[in-house]
Amino acid sequence: MKRIALGYVRSIDAISAWTEKIGCFLILPMIGVVFYEVISRRFFQSPTIWAMDVLTMLFGAYIIWSGAPSVLAKSQVCMDAISGRWRPRTRACVDALTFTLTLSFCIILAWQTTVYAIESWQVREVSNTILAHPLYHWRAVLAVGTWLLFLQFTSEIIKSAWLAVTGKELK
């Protein structure tokens, strides 16, 4: 049982770490778009009609793809002032419960973004701006990001439950 749990947790954690490395590169096109827009607007008095849309999509992808790595790194908000005094097993029980509650929200979010992405691909959805650029690939990126977040939460639940039951971290 430990070998299966450890294999699953390591696999999901590795995927989240890989996602973090990929997500970091989304900053570069965002910087490039902002730089281009600023130069175009300030020096050539020729603002673009596409920069805000592209930045919104890139930033949305960046935020959703940073979800799983932030859960892995434990950089989400927590109440250490209260739970810092608890024993590790007690904290693990509470973490397992809160991660399970959060997982239920994440399931709904992943399911809905997937449905939305499928519908968007079926109709080849485009933006309602003058540019009318395609949106369906961005919807798919959001769906994949929420599923990655779901998987990372399952990994955290397994780690917390293992600590709560055995008193030892899953290593």
Side-chain angles (χ1 to χ4, degrees):
M1 182 69 163
K2 180 179 180 178
R3 198 177 59 158
I4 294 170
L6 189 58
Y8 179 80
V9 164
R10 284 184 178 165
S11 298
I12 299 303
D13 290 355
I15 291 169
S16 292
W18 174 79
T19 303
E20 179 180 25
K21 291 175 182 161
I22 298 298
C24 287
F25 287 109
L26 287 173
I27 292 291
L28 297 175
M30 287 192 316
I31 291 170
V33 170
V34 169
F35 181 76
Y36 182 84
E37 176 65 14
V38 168
I39 297 297
S40 176
R41 183 179 298 252
R42 297 291 179 210
F43 295 111
F44 300 110
Q45 285 72 39
S46 178
T48 63
I49 60 171
W50 53 267
M52 189 62 174
D53 286 343
V54 171
L55 281 173
T56 301
M57 296 301 168
L58 286 170
F59 187 67
Y62 176 75
I63 291 299
I64 200 69
W65 277 68
S66 64
S70 69
V71 171
L72 175 63
K74 301 199 182 330
S75 61
Q76 71 274 14
V77 175
C78 60
M79 296 299 294
D80 286 341
I82 297 169
S83 64
R85 299 177 186 165
W86 297 344
R87 285 180 265 167
R89 274 181 113 160
T90 305
R91 190 174 325 129
C93 287
V94 173
D95 284 348
L97 176 66
T98 57
F99 281 138
T100 303
L101 294 173
T102 307
L103 184 68
S104 61
F105 167 74
C106 194
I107 289 170
I108 294 168
L109 184 65
W111 172 52
Q112 287 300 309
T113 56
T114 302
V115 168
Y116 195 39
I118 291 169
E119 290 172 356
S120 183
W121 273 91
Q122 288 172 342
V123 299
R124 298 288 192 218
E125 181 183 16
V126 295
S127 71
N128 59 358
T129 63
I130 195 165
L131 202 57
H133 63 279
L135 294 177
Y136 46 88
H137 56 283
W138 293 110
R139 307 285 188 231
V141 166
L142 294 176
V144 170
T146 54
W147 282 108
L148 291 170
L149 184 62
F150 165 79
L151 290 173
Q152 188 57 47
F153 274 124
T154 61
S155 173
E156 296 301 318
I157 289 169
I158 291 170
K159 288 187 261 187
S160 296
W162 191 272
L163 178 58
V165 171
T166 65
K168 299 176 185 172
E169 288 189 22
L170 184 61
K171 292 183 182 181

